[in-house]
Every structure is written in C-alpha cells, then in structure tokens.
Amino acid sequence: MTREIALLTNPTAGKGRAVRVRDIALPRLRAAGFVVRSIAGRDADEALDLARQCVADGVETLVVCGGDGIAHLGIQAVAGTPTRLGVLPAGTGNDVARYVDIPLRDPEAATDRIIAGRTRVLDLARSGSTYFATVLAAGFDAIVNERANAMTWPRGQMRYNLATLAELRVLKPLAYTLELDGVERQLEANLVAVGNGPSFGGGLRITEGALLDDGMLDVVIIKPLSRIELLKTYPKLFKGTHTSHPQYEHHRVRQVTVASPGIVAYADGERFGPLPLTVESVPGALTVLA
C-alpha cells in the first residue's frame, strides 16, 4: 500500500528557513517510499483549508514545516481524526517539537523521525472549536504580544524586547475572575497561563510539570510583582525554577474559565481571542510522530 504524506510549509517561518528544511525533507521522504503532497497556502485560512482537505482525503500523516504557528494550524486539521501530525521545526519557538524531542537544528534527523513512524498520543486543550497544544497566555505576556503585533518596526525578536520594556513601564496588576473546575475565584495577578504542556515562547517553562497525557490542564497564576522582581524572575522560566517564588500559584483542573477586562489571549504563539475564555482538556485528541 502506498503511504501518503501531506507536507504543509509556512514559507515565511524562520526568515525562510522553513523552505530550506522542506527542500531537505522532500527528497528524503520520497526516497523512503512515501507519496508526498507538498502544500502551502497564500495565507493562514487557505493553508488550513488545504490541510483539512488532505485529512478528508485520508492522508496518513500531515507534516507541518515551520514554527508553532503552523503546528497550531495543523492541529486544527488533525485533532480527533486518525491522521497523524508530524513536525519539522523551522520557526522561532518550536515548543510543539520540543514536547516530543524532535531535533530542532537537524532537518535530516527530524525527517528520519517521520520516516520511522513512532507515535505518541497526546492531550490537547480546547476553547470552543479551537485547539491548542502548548500554553494559553492571558496576562502580561499577552499584552506584550498585542503591543508587538501593532508595531511595524523593528522586525524579529527585538520588536518583542521593545514591547516588553514599554509594558514594564506601565506594569500594574490585572483583575481576574477564574473558575477552576466550577470553583470561582476573584484575584489580582500579573499573569495567568493555562498549560496543556509545560512551555511556550521557545522554552519558557511557565507551566512547569504539566504532562501531555494526563487529561488535565495546568493553571499558573503569577500574583502581583514589582517591575524589578518580574525582571529577576523571568530568567528562571527557562529552567522552571520560578515555581518556588512566593507569588507563584499552581492548579491542575479539567476545565477553567479565565476572565479579565480588555485582555486578548494568545495560544501556541497565535492570537487566540479576547477573554473570557473557557478551556477544557481533550484527552488523547492528537497522535503525533515522535
């Protein structure tokens, strides 16, 4: 039987790196005996339509080439279906690839993982009809993303650095209403994050300890911090050692509703939608090549 793969590339990811990774992976996959449909949309909507059509056609695997944005898009197409997701990391964050230990800087090795065909079944988080795999950011980090996305200069990471500095100048606690498995709380915090997995933003382990297959969401609350204390705590996110901070709070739930006036949440690095949002765990919704 011929095995068919759809290879969906975001040509803008990694400043063009995704195209180079695709061009390495394509001949390697075909030499291994796969029939490969190479697809790319002119925009996110067309890319999602193409991916969903491939899934409807019964391809064995949808492989996404790029960063967490294209992985997020691919997840919308394959969640809850028999089609498997493969990841060729070529973006900035690549947290979905990190979750299943895909080599981040070795396209040949990443392609060989797809050829090998080993799978893991993971949970996803869902709000309404939209899924995410990593973390929903709904606080200071989301505000920084909103500011950065409104800026036309500079490009790349520096834009986010400048947006962070700008928001630090006006840092103030946000008022939240949370409903954790039906129990309502009202509080002030700098940040609330809802994790399906442990990290976002290129390895920031905000929801340290989150498991990918336990049917639970990890909700982290960072209660009010000063500007200096926030800056001191930030580097600890890369190792997950912020969990010992007295302003850190952690809950494990099956469903959470997050509300805060004027906040637009981000998930998988993508603009997800304005609060309030209700998020639930969807156990076993994704089969991923690992």
Side-chain angles (χ1 to χ4, degrees):
M1 246 181 107
T2 300
R3 301 170 66 188
E4 187 169 9
I5 287 175
L7 175 55
L8 174 63
T9 304
N10 176 4
T12 66
K15 298 180 180 177
R17 182 169 182 264
V19 172
R20 297 192 294 273
V21 171
R22 178 199 64 193
D23 291 346
I24 291 169
L26 264 174
R28 203 173 186 92
L29 291 168
R30 287 171 174 156
F34 292 97
V35 172
V36 184
R37 298 189 201 180
S38 183
I39 57 176
R42 288 169 292 186
D43 54 31
D45 289 339
E46 183 179 58
L48 181 55
D49 287 344
L50 290 169
R52 284 180 165 150
Q53 185 58 58
C54 290
V55 171
D57 291 344
V59 298
E60 182 181 69
T61 304
L62 173 67
V63 177
V64 292
C65 182
D68 286 328
I70 199 72
H72 177 80
L73 190 151
I75 285 164
Q76 310 315 308
V78 304
T81 77
T83 302
R84 310 175 307 176
L85 183 75
V87 181
L88 291 172
T92 303
N94 300 316
D95 283 280
V96 175
R98 290 170 196 272
Y99 284 3
V100 289
D101 298 320
I102 301 296
L104 300 184
R105 298 295 173 190
D106 188 339
E108 291 89 350
T111 305
D112 288 346
R113 291 287 190 90
I114 294 165
I115 292 168
R118 291 184 294 272
T119 61
R120 282 185 65 185
V121 177
L122 308 180
D123 303 337
L124 291 172
R126 181 175 63 198
S127 181
S129 60
T130 306
Y131 296 85
F132 65 90
T134 61
V135 175
L136 180 119
F140 177 76
D141 44 4
I143 293 170
V144 168
N145 264 303
E146 280 287 273
R147 178 181 281 270
N149 286 343
M151 294 166 63
T152 58
W153 180 92
R155 296 175 64 87
Q157 186 61 43
M158 184 54 68
R159 182 168 59 183
Y160 291 91
N161 295 342
L162 291 177
T164 299
L165 290 172
E167 289 300 333
L168 275 172
R169 292 174 55 206
V170 294
L171 177 70
K172 61 181 181 180
L174 301 170
Y176 287 95
T177 300
L178 302 180
E179 190 173 300
L180 302 161
D181 279 343
V183 178
E184 185 174 300
R185 286 188 59 193
Q186 294 187 348
L187 67 148
E188 288 193 334
N190 286 137
L191 181 152
V192 171
V194 180
N196 178 65
S199 70
F200 71 151
L204 293 170
R205 301 185 68 83
I206 183 67
T207 42
E208 176 68 19
L211 301 175
L212 295 162
D213 55 3
D214 63 348
M216 305 293 284
L217 302 169
D218 287 66
V219 180
V220 165
I221 301 165
I222 303 297
K223 290 177 282 189
L225 297 172
S226 69
R227 296 179 185 88
I228 297 299
E229 193 62 27
L230 188 62
L231 284 170
K232 285 169 58 179
T233 303
Y234 179 80
K236 297 180 179 181
L237 294 176
F238 288 99
K239 294 185 177 179
T241 55
H242 62 293
T243 58
S244 61
H245 197 286
Q247 294 297 84
Y248 165 91
E249 191 175 311
H250 180 206
H251 302 269
R252 298 179 73 246
V253 300
R254 298 189 185 280
Q255 181 174 290
V256 58
T257 298
V258 185
S260 185
I263 298 299
V264 175
Y266 281 69
D268 295 341
E270 299 295 295
R271 200 173 196 268
F272 201 81
L275 301 183
L277 289 170
T278 297
V279 183
E280 62 179 336
S281 177
V282 187
L286 178 69
T287 301
V288 61
L289 294 177

